[in-house]
Amino acid sequence: MKTYLRILQYARPWAAFLPQYLLYTVLATLFGLANFTLIIPLLQVLFEKTDQVPTQAPAQLPAFHLSLDWVKDTFNYFFADVLATQGTMGALTFVCVIVVVSVLCSNLFRYLSLRLLAKVRARVIRNLRHDLYSRILQLQLGYFAGERKGDLMSRFTSDVQEVESSVVNTMTAVIQEPLRIIFFFAVLFYMSLPLTLFTLILLPISGGLIAGVAKRLRQQAKQSQSTLGSMLSVIDETLGGIRVIKAFNAQQYIEGKFEDQNDEYARTSRRIDNTRDLASPFSEFAGVAVVAGLLYFGGTLILSGDSNLTGETFIGYVVLFSQVLTPAKALSSSFGNIQRGLVAGERVLGIIDTEPAIRDKPNAKLLPDFQGQIELRNLQFAYGTEPVLQDINLTIQKGKTVALVGPSGSGKSTLADLLPRFYDPTGGQILIDGHDVRDCTIHSVREQMGIVTQESILFNDTIFNNIRFNTQATEAEVMEAARIANAHDFITATPDGYQTIIGDRGGRLSGGQRQRLSIARAILRNPPILILDEATSALDTESEKLVQEALTRLMQHRTSLVIAHRLSTVQHADEIIVLHQGRIAERGTHEELLRRPGGLYQRLSQMQATNAALV
Ligand SMILES: Nc1ncnc2c1ncn2[C@@H]1O[C@H](COP(=O)(O)OP(=O)(O)OP(=O)(O)O)[C@@H](O)[C@H]1O
Ligand SMILES: [Mg+2]
């Protein structure tokens, strides 16, 4: 219920449409109700029982007051009038014309209320997607390492759709049907008190049984949505890794994985359908049983003759009552749908409710322009419980270049991720000009950094837009950055030059070209602090040399943290930090480190020299 109300909150402001919606719905219901009650005078005409009509009709047009009596009296007044002046044929025409008019009105108002609802639905879904998307943008990187992408995608697509098709669509049922039930019951009570009391005893029994079915549907829906998420994860991985799958002849292996998920999903879907299909025949049976009970009870009342119930009123009553069953059935079947929608809604709201672990403090300040130094003080970090970085003490003076080297998995990328606050340290501090980065706004910290990562992250857009990415740079500036990154030549060689679309994640470019675009992007931002994580690893020796020159030129006026496997690329760094198993093992300049006998750097350097000689 809480989830349902929260989803409805997304339709705010309610005042903009709820009064209007209620008005349309009430009018549609009243005209609908009028249609069915008109069957009574119709039967009176057909069975020629109109002799009592003049006695029931008031002598003059009754003054308006809001009650069933007024409606009935007004109708009887005109009915008697037509009957007296034009006979039964005229009365038949009269009743039929009124039926047509009131059906027209009822459907017109129904249409108006549906239009309004369509507006609400679009608004709810739009706002829900918006919140979901902006929350995903806010969540820290670590969240995505833990969460499967397919699951997130399924929440975005099928869950939001489920909310749309069930929760929002059932708003009609939830608002309209109870209104109809109330109005219809008011008339039923007015027509016959004992009959209505009798039906009220029977209805709750079937209602309770339907609630049981709904509960089961909800449990099954939960299972089904999470299976769908797993399946989408497999699909996503397949699309991303299609090259590897083919190269390793792993089609069958991955297909097996997919089939497991697919079968599981089919099984849960079947179970849900079975339960849902049960609901309709079940309520049909319950409905007819109730009507039969009613016929029996009402029939006895009429046949025994000790009630003022006439045959026509009773038939009218039964018709009207069968109309109560329709909204009741709609209500119960929408309960099933709501259950599924609520499960989906909970999955969507679950993400919206996830608080980003890394966010601005309430009184976060702006990090002033970088002036002096970056200091890492007793830095500790762990992704989970296992420490990845320990006792890191390091100062980078403005304008200097510090290189991080070390074996794979020693924590270099992790260290680089801590500076722009992709993660916050679990111990110690990162101080930029003495300001702890955790006290500054994330935006102001990242604004001062340019980052080129191990993987080049590009978007399916033009080369121009990928370099310009979120800046206001002019075409000339973009080209200048591309020249520095040694990308200009290959860009102009592509068919559309800077306007070439590069495909999903830059799939139409080579690894080295992708990397040069990432570098150009970082160059264009012209940040005081540069973080280069294996920025040149995907380049051949020739272009690496060119890019390296460009980077060296760029780094002269900047403060840089450079990570590189190839030691030759970092030998000019002002200080080289050798990381080993998350700790600083050695530090110094290239020459100092080489002179240290038996040191890790010396060993790494010798190994690379041997490899180079082999090539
Ligand atoms: N998101 C993550 N969650 C949990 N553990 C992680 C995560 N990312 C990295 N690790 C672990 O942290 C350690 C350091 O990883 P990191 O990526 O910093 O290494 P690296 O020095 O950059 O290695 P490489 O030279 O291969 O890039 C590794 O043992 C790795 O398994
Ligand atoms: Mg790394």
Side-chain angles (χ1 to χ4, degrees), residues 4 106 131 189 271 558 561:
Y4 194 74
S106 144
D131 274 17
F189 265 116
R271 275 202 294 265
R558 261 162 262 269
L561 182 69

Side-chain angles (χ1 to χ4, degrees), residues 276-504:
R276 201 175 20 199
D277 292 345
L278 188 67
S280 169
F282 179 76
S283 68
E284 172 117 15
F285 171 75
V288 173
V290 170
V291 171
L294 184 69
L295 281 175
Y296 179 76
F297 184 68
T300 339
L301 281 183
I302 294 174
L303 291 179
S304 64
D306 47 357
S307 143
N308 54 2
L309 201 64
T310 63
E312 306 90 60
T313 323
F314 181 57
I315 294 176
Y317 185 93
V318 173
V319 169
L320 211 55
F321 181 75
S322 69
Q323 293 307 308
V324 181
L325 289 178
T326 319
K329 237 169 101 175
L331 205 58
S332 74
S333 79
S334 52
F335 266 125
N337 277 333
I338 289 177
Q339 299 309 320
R340 282 201 319 165
L342 286 186
V343 172
E346 274 161 20
R347 282 164 52 88
V348 173
L349 292 174
I351 296 184
I352 293 177
D353 290 343
T354 310
E355 285 297 321
I358 295 175
R359 59 189 316 173
D360 292 341
K361 285 187 181 173
N363 51 353
K365 52 190 179 193
L366 291 179
L367 179 67
D369 282 347
F370 181 53
Q371 298 292 339
Q373 61 175 32
I374 302 170
E375 187 189 351
L376 313 185
R377 199 182 280 171
N378 297 326
L379 200 65
Q380 321 274 340
F381 183 77
Y383 286 108
T385 48
E386 197 66 22
V388 174
L389 292 172
Q390 293 183 68
D391 302 324
I392 305 288
N393 284 292
L394 174 63
T395 306
I396 311 177
Q397 296 293 342
K398 184 174 175 156
K400 302 281 180 202
T401 297
V402 169
L404 278 180
V405 298
S408 181
S410 55
K412 304 182 295 291
S413 296
T414 306
L415 183 62
D417 278 349
L418 292 176
L419 286 186
R421 289 192 71 191
F422 289 152
Y423 296 92
D424 273 340
T426 44
Q429 283 179 303
I430 297 177
L431 302 159
I432 296 182
D433 293 337
H435 304 284
D436 191 320
V437 287
R438 278 172 294 188
D439 295 333
C440 304
T441 64
I442 299 172
H443 187 265
S444 71
V445 173
R446 290 183 190 161
E447 207 173 36
Q448 313 225 11
M449 300 180 184
I451 299 166
V452 181
T453 54
Q454 226 161 349
E455 312 149 56
S456 319
I457 314 286
L458 298 171
F459 298 88
N460 190 5
D461 201 339
T462 59
I463 291 181
F464 182 80
N465 285 339
N466 265 289
I467 299 179
R468 197 168 94 129
F469 194 60
N470 197 32
T471 61
Q472 297 304 316
T474 62
E475 197 174 344
E477 288 167 331
V478 168
M479 284 189 185
E480 181 58 27
R483 272 199 197 92
I484 299 177
N486 199 26
H488 183 74
D489 289 345
F490 92 78
I491 295 171
T492 42
T494 56
D496 297 319
Y498 280 85
Q499 296 308 320
T500 305
I501 306 268
I502 58 173
D504 238 8

Side-chain angles (χ1 to χ4, degrees), residues 461-603:
D461 201 339
T462 59
I463 291 181
F464 182 80
N465 285 339
N466 265 289
I467 299 179
R468 197 168 94 129
F469 194 60
N470 197 32
T471 61
Q472 297 304 316
T474 62
E475 197 174 344
E477 288 167 331
V478 168
M479 284 189 185
E480 181 58 27
R483 272 199 197 92
I484 299 177
N486 199 26
H488 183 74
D489 289 345
F490 92 78
I491 295 171
T492 42
T494 56
D496 297 319
Y498 280 85
Q499 296 308 320
T500 305
I501 306 268
I502 58 173
D504 238 8
R505 293 172 216 182
R508 292 191 203 141
L509 298 175
S510 78
Q513 289 170 336
R514 282 203 288 267
Q515 210 155 31
R516 278 178 277 171
L517 288 193
S518 310
I519 293 170
R521 178 160 68 197
I523 289 171
L524 187 67
R525 297 243 324 210
N526 196 17
I529 300 168
L530 265 183
I531 299 170
L532 307 175
D533 188 352
E534 306 276 2
T536 55
S537 64
L539 301 182
D540 57 44
T541 325
E542 183 61 30
S543 47
E544 186 192 349
K545 225 176 88 197
L546 289 166
V547 174
Q548 194 57 53
E549 273 168 25
L551 285 177
T552 315
R553 221 178 315 138
L554 191 76
M555 287 182 325
Q556 269 166 11
H557 315 290
R558 261 162 262 269
T559 314
S560 321
L561 182 69
V562 181
I563 300 174
H565 264 124
R566 264 178 284 186
L567 303 184
S568 56
T569 56
V570 296
Q571 45 184 290
H572 302 298
D574 298 291
E575 188 180 19
I576 296 172
I577 306 286
V578 185
L579 275 186
H580 185 54
Q581 295 178 350
R583 290 175 187 273
I584 298 183
E586 291 167 28
R587 64 201 307 167
T589 61
H590 180 67
E591 285 73 26
E592 284 167 6
L593 289 171
L594 275 187
R595 264 183 268 128
R596 186 174 297 197
L600 187 58
Y601 190 82
Q602 200 187 49
R603 264 209 327 271

Side-chain angles (χ1 to χ4, degrees), residues 24-34 106 176 179-180 183-184:
Y24 291 154
T25 310
V26 167
L27 286 174
T29 312
L30 286 180
F31 281 109
L33 190 61
S106 144
Q176 195 173 303
L179 264 178
R180 275 179 63 164
F183 280 119
F184 275 64

